[in-house]
């Protein structure tokens, strides 16, 4: 075996054995911070499954669910799903997006809006709920359980290595 190939394989094997090296590709930490930057909650996620946020739209008064993918340390808006057209809800897809109707819902796919983080205010009426994928659907975490209604919560992605989570 040529010396250069042997050296490359040795480095690769060492990297695979480092703590957290394989975990970095298979997990991410969703961190929720308050408006002062203090961590409210850290949640370990499978980046291949992402997360979602469901809320009640203030005008249509019907549920809206936004689905997010994780790409490295970025959060990507992947799709949105809602029941009714109304003020503040999309009525047509933008360039590159696809709109469809399915099971009584309007779904816009391929939104692909990339953000390093985003902030939302916990709704007083909206009942914002974080949806975390599990084997049977989603676990639900009402955001009002971790921040008061009206409070700002910033969502960001952190590395898994050495992080304590819920």
């Amino acid at each position: 075996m040529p010396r250069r190939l042997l050296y490359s394989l040795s480095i690769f094997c060492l990297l695979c054995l480092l703590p957290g090296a394989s975990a970095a590709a298979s997990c991410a930490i969703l961190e929720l911070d308050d408006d002062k930057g203090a961590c409210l909650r850290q949640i370990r996620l499978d980046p291949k499954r992402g997360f979602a946020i469901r809320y009640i739209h203030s005008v249509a008064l019907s549920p809206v669910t936004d689905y997010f993918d994780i790409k490295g340390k970025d959060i990507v808006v992947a799709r949105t799903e809602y029941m009714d057209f109304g003020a503040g809800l999309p009525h047509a897809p933008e360039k590159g997006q696809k709109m469809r109707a399915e099971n009584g819902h309007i779904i816009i796919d391929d939104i692909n809006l990339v953000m390093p983080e985003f902030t939302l205010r916990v709704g007083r009426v909206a009942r914002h709920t974080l949806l975390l994928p599990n084997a049977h659907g989603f676990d639900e975490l009402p955001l009002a359980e971790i921040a008061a209604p009206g409070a700002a919560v910033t969502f960001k992605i952190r590395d898994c290595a050495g992080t304590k989570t819920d």
Side-chain angles (χ1 to χ4, degrees), residues 53 55-66 79-94 97 99 104-108 111:
I53 298 174
Y55 60 95
I56 302 301
H57 190 270
S58 63
V59 175
L61 298 177
S62 61
V64 175
T65 305
D66 293 325
R79 81 176 199 258
T80 190
E81 185 174 320
Y82 50 95
M83 296 174 64
D84 304 303
F85 288 109
L89 290 168
H91 63 279
E94 294 184 17
Q97 299 175 354
M99 180 180 257
H105 290 88
I106 300 152
I107 301 168
I108 298 180
I111 296 173

Side-chain angles (χ1 to χ4, degrees), residues 75-138:
I75 299 170
V76 181
V77 182
R79 81 176 199 258
T80 190
E81 185 174 320
Y82 50 95
M83 296 174 64
D84 304 303
F85 288 109
L89 290 168
H91 63 279
E94 294 184 17
K95 185 177 180 176
Q97 299 175 354
K98 297 177 186 94
M99 180 180 257
R100 60 191 164 95
E102 186 177 295
N103 298 323
H105 290 88
I106 300 152
I107 301 168
I108 298 180
D109 290 305
D110 299 327
I111 296 173
N112 296 322
L113 174 62
V114 179
M115 306 172 289
E117 62 183 48
F118 69 91
T119 302
L120 67 77
R121 291 206 174 267
V122 177
R124 298 177 198 287
V125 175
R127 297 193 313 258
H128 289 98
T129 302
L130 180 60
L131 304 175
L132 303 164
N134 65 32
H136 308 289
F138 291 96

Side-chain angles (χ1 to χ4, degrees), residues 1-11 13:
M1 187 177 298
R3 191 175 217 145
R4 178 176 261 166
L5 179 59
L6 183 60
Y7 179 75
S8 296
L9 286 173
S10 298
I11 296 296
C13 289

